[in-house]
Structures are given as structure tokens and as C-alpha cells.
Amino acid sequence: MAKGRKNGLYSGISEELSALMRTGWADTERHDLRLGEQAPYAARRRASLSARFPGERLVIPSGNLKVRSNDDSYPFRPYSGYVHMAGDQARDGALVLEPRGDGGHDAFCYQLPRDSRDNDEFWTGATAELWMGRRRSLAESELVLGLPCRDVRTAADDLAAASGAPSRIVRGVDPSLEAAVTTDEERDAELEEVLADLRLVKDDWEIAELRKAVDSTVRGFTDVIGELSRAIASSERWIEGTFFRRARLEGNAVGYGSICAAGEHATIMHWTDNDGPVRPGDLLLLDAGVETHTLYTADVTRTLPISGTFTPLQRKVYDAVYAAQEAGMAAVKPGAAYRDFHEASQRYLAAQLVEWGFIVGPADRAYELGLQRRFTMAGTGHMLGLDVHDCAQARNEEYVDGVLEPGMVLTVEPGLYFQPDDLTVPEEWRGIGVRIEDDLVVTDDGHENLSAGLPRSADDVEAWMARFAG
């Protein structure tokens, strides 16, 4: 929670001002609210969670504001497991599953209620409603979430006094609630793992949200193409701002820091400074995703010739990455091992690097030794959903060592990166970085590329740029 200012202009509140502020306010309680669209899906998710932990109390906090500087906080982003299970984004809250005698659970939410108009709390302090905006009342939250809601200001005492069942809490989210629960680190880690496991397969509502995220992202990429001349006249910052505008117009924000990497910056996997020049003749690697209002994010990458046309060497590298992505995408289908798409892409690139003479073959040996990683650097994809690297705490046997199922959503994103100072490759290759990334949902008979609205092949990219580039 942000602290108040030490050097505020007002030394106190007069009784007359306090009395004035407490009077003359209309009743704004909303009685027209209906059950939220996500609520039935969240209820089914809670049922799945309940079945994993019969007889145990489960506490899933939403999280607190984090101070950016003095009394200025970062925009609040709730813990994804809370969002998934509660269908809610409120700060300073918690979902509790209280065990019943039949092995099931009763679920309820602790929420921060509205500030009372009977004292000064609603208009004093950096997080007061009059400063930060109206919150839902507990009654309103019950209507939207379909859950009983309680005042979170009693949560720590309630949890500390709770008995009759062992408790688990997600750690590292809300220190005050964590301190109130008697549990142990290993059991809490298991709760977090299961929460991640349960997000591996998306329900229909989640897939629809990811479609929205990807569709907005496609429009954001097209916006960037249309404003390339402005970026050339300024810097990568223009590209970042152009995409961010689309993300804020159609969603909540960007799902992660946009990578707007021109020239040799394209060889830096997570370049987010975005302050470099945008020069014709270079490549632009744009890795960005819109996050919806419900916090589901896209994650798409295209590598674009800033002048509109690839040079022969740029196209040679691009075509290799495109072919590797095609090989990886072909391996995305139900029943396939999760690692299959990664292996297919990496084996292709290993063979290509051997053919070019950059690593020692034969190709199978080079792949087994991981020699291609000097130029491919990262894995070939990851799960996608509420987090850009979704389900990151899931068990290995359910994720990287698991099997693909319909409803899983993942990225396929091979790349080649020739560092500017890499003396093992010819000088003309140095500073070239190419990545192509798409978002795929596993279907009953294969997969669907949610981001197919963006061109991928070199010819199609050039035609797209010729049509839209400004």
C-alpha cells in the first residue's frame, strides 16, 4: 500500500470539513447487475480444484497494490490463479474454499468493500475511492461473481482463528493473509502447481477470449505497418506506442512488454528498451500481444523488412525460420508429446546451420548436443492464456513432459539470431535476427492457428507491407 505524503499541503481536517464531506451524496448502489459471463465457467473450475483437495481449506489471494514511487502505485494486476478461479480482478481480495463434511467445498470471496461515507476514509488517502474510483459493494460483487462475499478487513483474523481442517495458501501474493495461515511451503507449492495444471486446457470461454486478443493483435500489427514511415523518422518507440494504442483501445493493455527490435536489436530475445533507430534495409522484429479486458493475452511475432522487401540474405534466414515453424506447427495435434513441435523445429534449424557451415554435423549429432542453441537460443514455444508464459508452475509431467490435448493453447516461435559480435559467422550475417510466432489451439483433429490473419511467408509479408505500409 502506498504511503501518504510527508510534505502534504494540508496539515489536517477540520471538523467542519469532515462534516461537509459526509453529507449530500446520492445512493449509487447498483441493483441492475447480473451474473458475469465468466461466472459459470469459474464455478466449474472451482469444482475441479475442490476435487483435488478434499477436506482442506484453500486460500487464493488476488494480491495488493505495488508501490512504483512514493504514493504512486503500478497498475494493479491480480494473481492469475485468482482470476481463473473467481472470475474477478479485484485487488486486496481472496477466494476461499472452505471444506465440507462430504468432501466438497463452500466457496466465498473476501473483497474490499466500498469506503464508508460515515467517516473520512472514502476521500482521504491515496487509495480512497474518491481518488481511485468506485469499487463494487459486497452485494454487487455477489451478483456478478455468483459467490458469497465478505469484508476482507476481517480475513486475516478469520483465517488465523480457523480450525478443523488443514489449510493451504498461494504464497508470495498477499503477505498479510499468508502470515495468518498455518501451513507449510511444500503443501502450498502443490496448490500453486494444481492451479497451473488446471489452466493447461482452456474452456470455450477462454478460447473465445484468446481469439479476441489475437484479433486485436492482428489489427495492432497492421497499425504498425501503416506507421512505419513515422517510426523511421523517430525510433522504435513509435512502434511501441502505435501498438500500445490499439491494446488500450480494444483491451486492457499489452500482455507483456512489447519487443520492437529493429536492426541488430532483433538478435536480443527480450529487447524492450525500444529506443533504437528504425532504418530502411534492416529488419524489424515485432513481438507483441494485446491483453483483453479479462486479462487473456495474445503473443505474436513477425519479422518485417523495414524497406518493404527482404534482401537475398534476409530472405534466406527468414525462409529457414519459416520452414522450421511449418515443421513445428505440423507436430501440434492431440496425442502428440508436448516436446514434439519443439524438436521438429529445432532439428530443422540444426540441419540448416550444419548445411551453412556454422556448426559441425552431422545434423542429428548437432541437435543432440544442442549446438544449434548458439543461434536459436530459446525453446520453440510455451503455453498461452492469462499469462503470456501461462501455467509456468504446472508440473513437468503435465506440461513439458506431457501430451497435447484439445483446448490447449500454445505458441510456436522458432528463431535464428546472429549476434553483431559473433565471429563464427560471416560479417554480412551478423546483426540479423528473425523470429516468427503464432498462437495455436489444439483441436480434436489437429490445430487451429488463431493468428493466421497475419501473413507468414516472405512473399506474403512483402505483399502485406506493400498494401499497408505508410
Side-chain angles (χ1 to χ4, degrees):
M1 190 71 71
K3 295 181 179 179
R5 290 178 183 165
K6 179 181 178 181
N7 56 350
L9 291 172
Y10 296 108
S11 59
I13 301 170
S14 69
E15 291 183 8
E16 290 79 4
L17 174 58
S18 179
L20 175 64
M21 291 300 295
R22 298 183 198 187
T23 60
W25 302 102
D27 179 8
T28 61
E29 183 75 9
R30 295 191 60 186
H31 303 284
D32 60 337
L33 296 176
R34 298 290 181 268
L35 188 68
E37 186 181 60
Q38 190 176 180
Y41 295 92
R44 287 195 282 272
R45 299 166 198 159
R46 291 193 296 273
S48 297
L49 179 63
S50 172
R52 301 287 188 98
F53 298 102
E56 299 188 61
R57 181 179 299 105
L58 309 177
V59 184
I60 307 166
S62 67
N64 317 122
L65 291 173
K66 290 181 171 59
V67 174
R68 182 177 186 268
S69 177
N70 298 318
D71 58 356
D72 181 32
S73 298
Y74 288 103
F76 177 67
R77 174 57 159 81
Y79 169 59
S80 295
Y82 172 83
V83 177
H84 191 241
M85 287 291 157
D88 182 50
Q89 299 179 34
R91 65 177 175 92
D92 301 319
L95 173 69
V96 175
L97 272 63
E98 185 69 26
R100 298 193 306 259
D102 62 2
H105 289 81
D106 294 318
F108 59 88
C109 255
Y110 281 109
Q111 298 258 300
L112 189 62
R114 297 202 63 201
D115 289 336
S116 173
R117 300 298 173 101
D118 295 331
N119 55 46
D120 296 325
E121 67 179 18
F122 78 96
W123 71 281
T124 57
T127 60
E129 275 192 291
L130 205 61
W131 289 84
M132 294 191 70
R134 186 189 187 280
R135 297 190 292 272
R136 286 196 306 243
S137 70
L138 296 182
E140 290 169 347
S141 288
E142 288 185 347
L143 291 173
V144 173
L145 303 181
L147 284 169
C149 291
R150 304 178 183 180
D151 189 335
V152 74
R153 291 173 296 188
T154 71
D157 290 340
D158 294 347
L159 292 171
S163 60
S167 297
R168 298 177 190 252
I169 188 171
V170 179
R171 297 192 177 206
V173 180
D174 188 319
S176 64
L177 296 184
E178 188 176 323
V181 176
T182 301
T183 180
D184 67 75
E185 188 172 349
E186 184 176 345
R187 296 176 66 255
D188 292 344
E190 186 180 4
L191 171 60
E192 189 173 11
E193 285 177 346
V194 170
L195 287 168
D197 288 351
L198 292 174
R199 297 214 310 272
L200 285 166
V201 176
K202 271 60 180 176
D203 56 41
D204 291 342
W205 185 88
E206 292 180 284
I207 293 172
E209 289 301 299
L210 285 164
R211 287 186 192 280
K212 293 178 188 176
V214 171
D215 290 347
S216 290
T217 299
V218 168
R219 288 187 284 273
F221 272 66
T222 305
D223 293 341
V224 168
I225 294 298
E227 296 194 17
L228 264 183
S229 62
R230 306 292 295 272
I232 292 169
S234 52
S235 75
E236 295 164 341
R237 292 284 168 93
W238 192 276
I239 295 167
E240 180 181 4
T242 299
F243 187 84
F244 183 74
R245 182 178 67 236
R246 176 66 65 176
R248 288 293 282 164
L249 281 171
E250 297 191 2
N252 178 55
V254 290
Y256 54 96
S258 297
I259 298 169
C260 309
E264 65 182 37
H265 289 160
T267 66
I268 302 172
M269 288 292 297
H270 290 159
W271 172 257
T272 55
D273 286 354
N274 299 335
D275 59 358
V278 179
R279 302 187 184 97
D282 285 345
L283 295 176
L284 167 66
L285 189 156
L286 177 58
D287 184 337
V290 172
E291 177 186 78
T292 64
H293 294 292
T294 59
L295 307 186
Y296 286 80
T297 185
D299 181 10
V300 179
T301 306
R302 290 294 183 268
T303 304
L304 313 169
I306 295 168
S307 61
T309 305
F310 292 102
T311 68
L313 180 55
Q314 289 169 350
R315 179 180 277 260
K316 184 175 186 177
V317 177
Y318 189 95
D319 286 346
V321 174
Y322 175 78
Q325 193 196 31
E326 287 280 279
M329 291 170 66
V332 176
K333 53 191 174 184
Y338 174 83
R339 294 180 183 271
D340 285 355
F341 76 91
H342 165 76
E343 181 171 337
S345 290
Q346 293 291 309
R347 283 190 180 278
Y348 182 90
L349 292 176
Q352 190 66 76
L353 289 163
V354 168
E355 181 180 320
W356 289 338
F358 296 162
I359 57 176
V360 176
D364 285 345
R365 177 182 178 275
Y367 174 77
E368 296 303 328
L369 294 175
L371 302 184
Q372 84 285 352
R373 293 176 60 185
R374 179 182 178 100
F375 305 103
T376 65
M377 293 178 63
T380 313
H382 50 81
M383 293 294 181
L384 185 68
L386 277 167
D387 295 329
V388 64
H389 293 157
D390 206 28
C391 314
Q393 301 304 316
R395 292 171 295 171
N396 284 348
E397 58 266 31
E398 297 293 327
Y399 191 162
V400 294
D401 296 327
V403 173
L404 296 181
E405 300 178 38
M408 289 182 170
V409 181
L410 52 89
T411 69
V412 180
E413 51 173 318
L416 284 173
Y417 313 93
F418 300 101
Q419 302 302 322
D421 57 348
D422 189 344
L423 301 181
T424 69
V425 298
E427 184 176 1
E428 63 269 23
W429 292 69
R430 299 172 198 165
I432 293 178
V434 174
R435 179 164 68 251
I436 312 171
E437 178 180 20
D438 285 271
D439 302 342
L440 277 60
V441 57
V442 182
T443 61
D444 290 335
D445 56 0
H447 68 263
E448 177 189 353
N449 183 359
L450 299 177
S451 46
L454 283 176
R456 287 194 302 123
S457 73
D459 287 342
D460 288 346
V461 166
E462 289 180 346
W464 174 47
M465 295 187 68
R467 181 181 176 191
F468 289 105

